[in-house]
Amino acid sequence: MTNPISVEIKEIDLDALAGAEGKVAVLMTAEGSMDPLARRVNRLTKGALQRLSESKVFEDLGAGKVVSLAMPAGMKAEAVIVLKLEKNVDAKAARLAGAEIAKAKGLESLTLGAGSHRRAADLAYGVVLRSYSFETHMTGEGKGKQPADATMMVTKPDDMRAALEPMLAIADGVFFTRDLTNEPANILDTTEFAARLEGLEAMGVEVEVLEERELRELGMRTLLAVGQGSTTPSKVVVMRWNGGGEEPPFALVGKGVVFDTGGISLKPAAGMEDMTMDMGGAGVVSGVMKALAGRNAKANVVGIVGLVENMPDGDATRPGDVVRSMKGDTIEIINTDAEGRLVLADVLWYTQERFKPQGMINLATLTGAILIALGHENAGVFSNNNDLADAFLAAAAAEGEGAWRMPMGQAYDKLLKSRVADMANVGGRSAGSITAAQFLQRFVKDTTPWIHLDIAGVASTKTDTSFAPKGATGWGVRALDRLIHDNYEL
Ligand code: BES
Ligand code: MN
Ligand code: ZN
């Protein structure tokens, strides 16, 4: 498990700056104005910050970006990081600035002098979110590359501690998601996944693991059809956080394909290793549950994940097989690589039958087509309810997590026609992400406000993002936590 770095919050101690180890970060406005901490560093370095403030380098530096002054004379630190930041920035800008500090800090320890800056907690949050490194499986060279902790100096440590506490709970959730999503499938099989989720019980989350026998009794035949070629058993895990009152829960549903070979409709070899992140939707659901529990959210939320592995095998589902879903509709499985929707069909139905949720959002690395449409910048947002969709888009925008509404409609739904069953599991080449969403909607009641988030492009990336190094991003944990916070808490 990758734990977020710890942040020690202290009162300002100007005399400690000269001897601080690692890196020291201070703030300076575009005008070159310095708080007492920056002024002390300026004095120790015989005016280096003053000179910086008058330089072309500083003039050209973007707002919220940093300059590192290496091996400063007069200080023990290896570098002084100067952040160009105004006093009145919003939370989002402060977090991004914190992430810039984290990048400049690297693995070293950090003393960040935020003084009386009103967004000090958001600065720290940005530092924490960006200080992530997945090194569980490294030995030798790569080992011991966890970023060192940070110390903050602020005028009101108690206020800052209170503000930062819920943010650190969310960061915990984000890191939980990233670890799950980065983990390879030989380590994170369905059994290990379920075991890690049972670990949330210690935080007060009720966790229930449904095994294959129970899934068969429930009639989850389309979910089981995906996992039947694999030796790792199919499971559904139900996580309940009951922090609210008597109201029905909000439901989060995740696709948890621990590895997607495509099944008999086998994927090409090149890049297939990326399908280790095909449980990303389930990973986000798990991270949100952890965040809600960690900050003691006053809401009822149920998180349900379908955990399976999609493998080719003598027992595997064949193209052309017809399977009856838990709902009762029959599906012709034309392509065994369109497996995520088969898993979700049964889990979505089960969630509504059992919990009658007041709203339901599912997350899935569902289609390669969403990458073609939106790249790595935005997740696809498909919904049957404008109010819920707008609330989610607002939450995602506030957190800076890209999300873009996509269309749905009858004409797309028709593309799922099958010659032999109620529907086919694929709709042809065009509008691939939309036909996938239409397929899911067939398992959503008209009375359930619902969103499908296609996160195939955003769950994991090959280049660094603002808040994460390349690999799993944890996209969606912050947006969903905020959605719950802003709309569903007592
Ligand atoms: N897990 C994949 C989608 C995916 C692709 C996720 C790239 C992340 C990155 C999904 O199960 C899949 O294989 N979808 C098919 C659907 C097709 C057969 C209709 C796809 O996108 O090609
Ligand atoms: Mn697939
Ligand atoms: Zn898949």
Side-chain angles (χ1 to χ4, degrees), residues 255 260 267 275 278 335 337 339 365-368 371 426 456:
K255 166 180 172 180
D260 180 14
K267 286 183 182 294
M275 286 304 114
D278 208 21
N335 190 325
D337 196 12
E339 85 296 341
T365 48
L366 204 64
T367 66
L371 265 141
V426 293

Side-chain angles (χ1 to χ4, degrees), residues 29 63 85-94 116-119:
T29 69
L85 194 73
E86 299 313 301
K87 296 203 165 63
N88 60 353
V89 291
D90 62 11
K92 212 154 106 180
S116 60
H117 199 283
R118 53 196 279 269
R119 299 294 185 189

Side-chain angles (χ1 to χ4, degrees), residues 381-384 406-412 434 437-439 441 450:
V381 180
F382 303 83
S383 181
N384 65 357
M406 299 285 286
M408 297 189 72
Q410 259 296 305
Y412 296 109
I434 307 176
Q438 295 293 158
F439 183 95
Q441 193 178 8
W450 161 77

Side-chain angles (χ1 to χ4, degrees), residues 383-455:
S383 181
N384 65 357
N385 184 294
N386 291 335
D387 290 339
L388 181 59
D390 288 345
F392 178 77
L393 290 169
E399 293 295 334
E401 294 187 312
W404 194 259
R405 183 98 184 248
M406 299 285 286
M408 297 189 72
Q410 259 296 305
Y412 296 109
D413 190 71
K414 281 196 192 139
L415 300 171
L416 294 169
K417 276 214 176 79
S418 159
R419 185 178 55 84
V420 297
D422 297 339
M423 72 193 86
N425 77 327
V426 293
R429 264 179 58 78
S430 53
S433 301
I434 307 176
T435 52
Q438 295 293 158
F439 183 95
L440 297 182
Q441 193 178 8
R442 289 177 177 230
F443 300 89
V444 176
K445 298 177 185 183
D446 290 339
T447 50
T448 309
W450 161 77
I451 298 177
H452 153 52
L453 297 172
D454 194 336
I455 61 169

Side-chain angles (χ1 to χ4, degrees), residues 171-329:
D172 254 333
V174 171
F175 278 32
F176 190 48
T177 299
R178 288 181 188 167
D179 277 359
L180 289 168
T181 306
N182 278 328
E183 206 67 279
N186 61 324
I187 306 290
L188 193 79
D189 57 13
T190 58
T191 305
E192 171 66 14
F193 201 142
R196 291 197 189 185
L197 298 186
E198 280 174 326
L200 296 177
E201 279 176 337
M203 300 177 78
V205 180
E206 283 173 31
V207 183
E208 192 184 330
V209 181
L210 305 177
E211 303 291 349
E212 279 184 1
R213 183 178 43 76
E214 293 158 285
L215 301 179
R216 224 169 280 125
E217 280 163 17
L218 285 163
M220 293 207 200
R221 285 168 295 265
T222 65
L223 180 143
L224 289 165
V226 176
Q228 73 191 35
S230 171
T231 52
T232 189
S234 298
K235 295 175 197 284
V236 168
V237 181
V238 179
M239 294 166 271
R240 304 183 70 174
W241 173 253
N242 303 312
E246 295 303 310
E247 75 280 6
F250 193 89
L252 301 172
V253 173
K255 166 180 172 180
V257 176
V258 294
F259 195 79
D260 180 14
T261 63
I264 299 297
S265 312
L266 193 63
K267 286 183 182 294
M272 203 203 276
E273 69 280 6
D274 292 345
M275 286 304 114
T276 178
M277 53 69 100
D278 208 21
M279 34 52 65
V284 174
V285 171
S286 308
V288 176
M289 297 309 292
K290 183 164 192 180
L292 295 171
R295 67 173 182 80
N296 214 347
K298 294 192 171 25
N300 296 333
V301 180
V302 56
I304 310 193
V305 295
L307 307 179
V308 300
E309 184 178 42
N310 189 20
M311 285 291 220
D313 180 77
D315 285 330
T317 294
R318 291 159 289 259
D321 283 2
V322 174
V323 179
R324 194 158 65 88
S325 67
M326 181 181 176
K327 180 186 173 198
D329 297 354

